[in-house]
């Protein structure tokens, strides 16, 4: 069997982190088996679907590197096919027309609440208009009917789920769901079954909030004589407090994590470990993930999001990243922050600085912020300003001639000259380096000062120190 998976988001908002993980799991499963991964946009809800959301989903998928095998499929384009299948079930007496008014349905719901029973359609129209109790001429002409699926009323529907194991649902509790609305548009439940079948989907990997849908979808598959996909229902992601993930926990769109400075490979690694494991491995490359991924290793309990761990994973991939790539990522941020275009000279300086700066940064944004010290404009922190005012500027005035005499501007030579100066003036070397750091960087926290001075170059260092 050639494996085919799909990710099927509704374009009613951004690609949130739970959806991104679902897409990743489907993508990895297909890649692991040498199969296909497809993207289907479930846009049948025309009122809530937007082009902006469609663009955000596709953009988020592209950023994560989750390429689909072929163009995105739009569910709305298959509504004629969906209607044909609904009418086929109608002809086979596996579905029926329902003429109940909104008032009748409200009355049924209120009665269920009164009797403290779960609401389900009572099958009134199945008995009334299928030639069982009343002749066809009694059909109310003023109401456009919906088409309902006639659910089995005995036994149970059983699903062998790759994550949940064998699960079942009593058929007597299944509702006669609507397949086709009164305006002829298909419902989600019908469209999913038809589309998955027509796309050849073999495995449906999705959140466990769809598990109850799976029972309803399976009986439709069986009624049509189609093979049911193998299901794998993943527990949802929760916040650190164990509550269902929401905006207050950081349930943001994938684009927000990109804007916060996360790398796509780090997000793939982090999302993979949200509910899936391979021994004690934490850092798992995409190549390893493809090789190792299976649904059996997905946990049955909800995973909890941990932003500290996410940042640490990102920090690892920052250290591994190519310096030219990092420079390309920070330049737009720096140019926006400084409202200026970075020239070739400073691009070269920033590129040289990447090696020391990326080891201290957990995100691209942190890297960009830290790299500002290599530009000509320096803004002083309160601590740096205090260091310079508390005698630091006088020390800089004294050591400036010593630094001017250094002909070979290398870190070791700079350190040796400062060391000699400290001995001659009976000053601790830290007392000298602190004001130099404050003057050059504008902060008391930075990478190795000698490396910074070497990267900045003699002229720039003397220029900054000379203005104190």
């Amino acid at each position: 069997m050639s494996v085919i998976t799909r990710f099927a988001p509704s374009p009613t908002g951004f690609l949130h982190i739970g959806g991104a993980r679902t897409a990743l799991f489907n993508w990895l499963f297909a890649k692991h088996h040498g199969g296909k991964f497809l993207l289907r946009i479930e846009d049948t809800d025309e009122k809530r679907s937007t082009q902006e959301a469609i663009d955000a989903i596709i953009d988020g998928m592209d950023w994560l590197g989750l390429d689909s095998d072929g163009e995105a499929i739009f569910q709305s384009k298959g509504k004629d096919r969906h209607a044909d299948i609904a009418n086929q079930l109608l002809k086979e007496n596996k579905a029926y027309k329902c003429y109940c008014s909104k008032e009748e349905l409200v009355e049924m719901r209120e009665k269920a609440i009164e009797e403290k029973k779960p609401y389900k359609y009572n099958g009134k129209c199945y008995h009334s208009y299928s030639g069982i109790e009343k002749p066809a001429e009694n059909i109310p002409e003023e109401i456009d009917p919906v088409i309902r699926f006639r659910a089995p009323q005995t036994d149970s529907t059983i699903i062998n789920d790759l994550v949940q194991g064998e699960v079942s649902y009593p058929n007597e509790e299944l509702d006669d769901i609507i397949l086709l609305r009164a305006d002829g548009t298909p419902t989600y439940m019908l469209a999913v079954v038809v589309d998955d079948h027509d796309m050849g989907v073999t495995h449906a990997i999705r959140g466990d909030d769809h598990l109850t849908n799976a029972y309803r979808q399976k009986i439709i598959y069986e009624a049509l004589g189609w093979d049911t996909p193998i299901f794998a229902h993943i527990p949802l992601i929760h916040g650190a407090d164990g509550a269902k993930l929401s905006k207050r926990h950081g349930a943001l769109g994938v684009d927000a994590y990109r804007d916060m400075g996360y790398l796509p490979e780090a997000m793939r690694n982090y999302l993979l470990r949200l509910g899936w494991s391979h021994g004690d491995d934490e850092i798992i490359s995409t190549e390893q993930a493809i090789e190792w991924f299976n649904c059996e290793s997905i946990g049955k309990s909800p995973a909890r999001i941990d932003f500290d761990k996410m940042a640490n994973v990102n920090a690892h991939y920052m250290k591994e990243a190519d310096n030219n790539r990092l420079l390309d990522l920070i330049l737009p941020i720096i140019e926006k922050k400084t409202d200026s275009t970075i020239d070739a000279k400073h691009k070269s300086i920033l590129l040289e600085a990447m090696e020391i700066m990326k080891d201290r940064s957990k995100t691209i944004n942190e890297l960009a912020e830290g790299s500002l010290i290599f530009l000509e404009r320096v803004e002083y922190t309160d601590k740096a300003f205090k260091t310079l005012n508390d005698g630091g500027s006088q020390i800089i005035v004294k050591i400036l001639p010593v630094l001017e005499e250094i002909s070979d501007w290398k870190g070791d030579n700079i350190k040796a000259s400062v060391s000699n100066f400290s001995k001659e003036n009976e000053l601790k070397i830290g007392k000298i380096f602190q004001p130099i750091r404050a003057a050059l960087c504008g902060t008391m926290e930075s990478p190795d000062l000698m490396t910074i001075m070497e990267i900045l170059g003699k002229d720039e260092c003397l220029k900054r120190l000379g203005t104190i």
Side-chain angles (χ1 to χ4, degrees):
M1 177 177 61
S2 178
V3 166
I4 298 177
T5 65
R6 49 71 165 174
F7 175 53
S10 298
T12 55
F14 49 66
L15 174 61
H16 60 80
I17 196 167
R21 184 188 64 165
T22 299
L24 174 66
F25 282 11
N26 277 279
W27 185 81
L28 288 172
F29 191 84
K31 295 291 182 184
H32 175 80
H33 290 281
K36 291 182 179 180
F37 167 69
L38 304 177
L39 173 63
R40 183 174 72 234
I41 305 296
E42 298 194 333
D43 58 341
T44 51
D45 188 342
E46 295 180 1
K47 292 182 180 179
R48 298 180 63 215
S49 299
T50 67
Q51 187 60 47
E52 183 182 7
I54 293 170
D55 293 341
I57 290 168
I58 294 176
D59 184 52
M61 297 278 287
D62 288 343
W63 178 70
L64 283 170
L66 304 181
D67 51 307
S68 61
D69 295 297
E71 295 294 321
I73 297 165
F74 289 85
Q75 193 169 68
S76 59
K77 293 182 178 180
K79 56 186 178 183
D80 289 342
R81 165 71 170 159
H82 303 144
D84 287 343
I85 295 300
N87 283 296
Q88 175 187 325
L89 290 169
L90 188 64
K91 290 176 183 177
E92 295 173 355
N93 205 31
K94 296 173 182 175
Y96 60 94
K97 291 182 178 181
C98 174
Y99 296 86
C100 287
S101 65
K102 290 181 180 180
E103 291 74 19
E104 287 177 290
L105 296 175
V106 168
E107 185 180 338
M108 288 181 205
R109 189 177 297 276
E110 289 177 347
K111 184 178 180 182
I113 294 173
E114 185 181 326
E115 295 177 352
K116 296 181 179 180
K117 294 180 179 179
Y119 169 73
K120 57 177 284 189
Y121 180 71
N122 63 13
K124 172 185 174 183
C125 287
Y126 174 76
H127 298 293
S128 299
Y129 306 120
S130 296
I132 298 175
E133 296 178 4
K134 294 182 180 180
E137 57 262 24
N138 291 328
I139 293 175
E141 295 180 358
E142 70 276 8
I143 296 177
D144 292 324
V146 300
I147 295 180
R148 288 185 181 271
F149 179 76
R150 181 57 178 170
Q153 300 300 300
T154 58
D155 300 324
S156 296
T157 296
I158 298 172
I159 292 174
N160 290 302
D161 192 279
L162 292 181
V163 176
Q164 305 295 331
E166 184 180 292
V167 288
S168 64
Y169 196 84
N171 289 338
E172 63 182 17
E173 295 183 18
L174 290 174
D175 197 3
D176 285 0
I177 58 173
I178 296 173
L179 301 177
L180 215 61
R181 301 182 184 94
D183 62 2
T185 59
T187 61
Y188 163 81
M189 211 66 72
L190 171 67
V192 166
V193 170
V194 176
D195 290 347
D196 279 350
H197 172 265
D198 289 355
M199 291 165 63
V201 171
T202 60
H203 295 75
I205 304 170
R206 56 192 184 181
D208 63 5
D209 53 333
H210 284 283
L211 185 56
T212 54
N213 291 338
Y215 300 116
R216 292 160 174 80
Q217 289 161 9
K218 186 178 181 183
I219 59 175
I220 298 174
Y221 277 107
E222 291 174 343
L224 290 164
W226 294 346
D227 291 334
T228 305
I230 297 170
F231 290 114
H233 288 92
I234 314 163
L236 301 181
I237 301 172
H238 284 185
D241 58 0
K244 186 178 178 181
L245 192 63
S246 64
K247 287 184 179 180
R248 69 185 176 87
H249 296 108
L252 307 171
V254 166
D255 59 322
Y257 294 97
R258 177 185 59 196
D259 293 343
M260 286 189 285
Y262 290 94
L263 295 172
E265 60 268 37
M267 286 302 295
R268 289 196 298 269
N269 189 152
Y270 180 74
L271 291 175
L272 173 67
R273 290 289 289 109
L274 274 180
W276 183 90
S277 63
H278 185 272
D280 295 326
D281 294 302
E282 291 291 341
I283 300 299
I284 302 173
S285 70
T286 301
E287 292 74 22
Q288 289 173 322
I290 291 172
E291 180 184 350
W292 296 340
F293 189 80
N294 62 74
C295 289
E296 289 74 18
S297 295
I298 298 173
K300 291 186 178 182
S301 301
R304 295 193 181 192
I305 198 165
D306 184 333
F307 289 103
D308 288 336
K309 182 174 286 188
M310 185 189 294
N312 289 333
V313 171
N314 200 65
H316 168 83
Y317 283 96
M318 292 275 292
K319 293 180 177 68
E320 299 291 318
D322 176 76
N323 291 339
N324 283 286
R325 177 191 174 201
L326 293 176
L327 177 63
D328 289 342
L329 290 171
I330 68 169
L331 281 177
I333 301 171
I334 291 176
E335 291 181 341
K336 183 178 180 181
K337 188 174 182 66
T338 61
D339 194 26
S340 61
T341 301
I342 307 302
D343 58 26
K345 171 190 171 183
H346 286 94
K347 284 182 182 178
S348 178
I349 291 173
L350 288 171
L351 180 60
E352 190 176 353
M354 285 302 98
E355 200 59 41
I356 60 167
M357 295 304 298
K358 67 183 184 181
D359 286 347
R360 298 172 57 87
S361 307
K362 289 187 175 181
T363 66
I364 294 297
N365 291 357
E366 282 187 15
L367 179 62
E369 185 68 30
S371 298
L372 292 174
I373 63 174
F374 294 98
L375 302 181
E376 292 179 355
R377 294 174 295 280
V378 177
E379 296 181 5
Y380 300 109
T381 64
D382 290 342
K383 286 185 178 180
F385 192 75
K386 186 175 186 300
T387 298
L388 293 172
N389 279 347
D390 290 349
S393 56
Q394 288 88 340
I395 292 174
I396 288 176
V397 170
K398 290 181 180 180
I399 200 172
L400 200 54
V402 175
L403 296 175
E404 289 173 346
E405 292 176 3
I406 300 173
S407 57
D408 188 10
W409 193 260
K410 299 294 183 184
D412 290 342
N413 296 335
I414 299 169
K415 189 172 184 179
S417 294
V418 175
S419 180
N420 290 334
F421 177 84
S422 71
K423 291 175 183 177
E424 292 171 1
N425 291 271
E426 298 182 347
L427 289 170
K428 290 183 179 180
I429 198 165
K431 283 285 187 182
I432 303 169
F433 280 138
Q434 285 176 359
I436 292 176
R437 187 187 302 276
L440 293 179
C441 305
T443 177
M444 302 310 297
E445 299 176 0
S446 70
D448 177 62
L449 183 58
M450 299 302 100
T451 305
I452 290 175
M453 294 180 75
E454 191 172 322
I455 292 172
L456 284 173
K458 182 177 180 179
D459 291 345
E460 180 65 21
C461 287
L462 295 181
K463 175 184 174 184
R464 294 187 186 187
L465 294 172
T467 59
I468 300 302

